[in-house]
Amino acid sequence: MSLIVHKYGGTSMGSPERIRNVARRVAKWRQAGHQVVVIVSAMSGETNRLLALAKEVSPRPDPRELDVIATTGEQVSIGLLAMALKDIGVDAVSLTGWQVAVHTDNSYMKARIDTIDDFRIREELKRGRVVVVAGFQGVDPEGNITTLGRGGSDTSAVAIAAALHADECLIFTDVDGVYTTDPRIVPEAKRLNSISFEEMLELASAGSKVLQIRSVEFAGKFKVPCRVLSSLTDPDLPVEVEAVSGTLITYEDDPKMMEKALVSGIAASRSDAKVTLHNVPDMPGVASNILGPIAEANIEVDMIVQNVSVEGKTDFTFTVPRGDLENTLEVLNKKVIPVVGGGPVETNDHIAKISVVGIGMRSHSSVASRMFKALSEEGINIMMISTSEIKVSLVVDEKYTELAVRVLHHAFNLENGPSEV
């Protein structure tokens, strides 16, 4: 008997009919002899409705109370799915994140998981039940409800799969796998049969919305095989067929993976903002004095560029999540500039990050030059450049996002699947 974790997102749980379809799918896996733990999100649009309601009451809602409100969406979902399973003869029990318990730090709205107590889930599995767990949520050391941030149900699912040493984590979503790029931008994009944890991590960090980046980090760290597949197919599809569908996220040296390709995919993100602090003294420790207070404010910095010094002064540029731009400016004005000096601060929240990802790029230098050439031929200016062993990321004007993705997808012949250069 295998232990399988299922995860269903908001679209999959978006209506009573879809919840009943999820129940049929889960029942099929249970009847095939597997132990099943199911992690679910709130119904589509519900979290946004709850957050909007909170902001109608308070323009700047208290983060602790906001988490209390936001977690009710998942609580409704687990109750509805457990009821639907019982109605078709499958014994099930619903558990909230704090009943499990998923222990987190106290960073409200984007808490990080510390440990997971798997005792309650294992006890329910021994009773022959399907265990339905609310994703996206946990509890801090003081007993306060916390949430894991947008897309946190993916993280909940993979983390619980890791804690239970599950055989596989199936991420059911509204797409049938991971593609070479967003099919809504490039209809010719191809679905990948498999992809390494490393590549998926880079795609997620670069803006691919298939999986939350922290869920991929968990999967890679604890070696949890994950599969992305569609919840919108026939729920009565045979288990042996469904078990090999979608995209498998696995180890780089896994023998089931196809021959390694140089470029696997292209991701685009419009969720970043560019911040430049002008006239910074060019001296040791300045970067730490700038980025330290920003990190203490729990703001994630991505790309960083420091210009060549002119007369002892330089410009320091970095990107942050667009939603954190206001907080970043507050930190710079109150905690950084009074200590470091410099100024003024220039911002741009109309940028896009375009990334080309591939496990084989670590041994090839032609990828970046091909990117630059393809974009220059279309008159697309590059504002920032960042590279890693398997990724090259560029910042461009937001209005060129879709054009840049299409141009690069064609430049690397990805309409024929992952390709070598």
Side-chain angles (χ1 to χ4, degrees), residues 213-231:
I213 182 172
R214 284 161 59 193
S215 70
V216 186
E217 289 174 344
F218 262 106
K221 180 178 180 180
F222 295 101
K223 294 182 170 54
V224 180
C226 295
R227 188 177 296 273
V228 177
L229 61 173
S230 175
S231 66

Side-chain angles (χ1 to χ4, degrees), residues 88-101:
I88 57 176
V90 178
D91 193 10
V93 61
S94 64
L95 297 175
T96 62
W98 53 94
Q99 287 175 311
V100 169

Side-chain angles (χ1 to χ4, degrees), residues 42 45-52 74 109-111 136 147-155 211-214:
E46 182 63 9
T47 301
N48 286 339
R49 186 189 72 83
L50 291 168
L51 296 180
E74 281 71 21
M109 300 169 60
K110 45 185 172 183
F136 176 63
T147 64
L148 308 181
R150 285 294 188 175
S153 292
D154 288 344
T155 301
L211 287 176
Q212 190 201 46
I213 182 172
R214 284 161 59 193

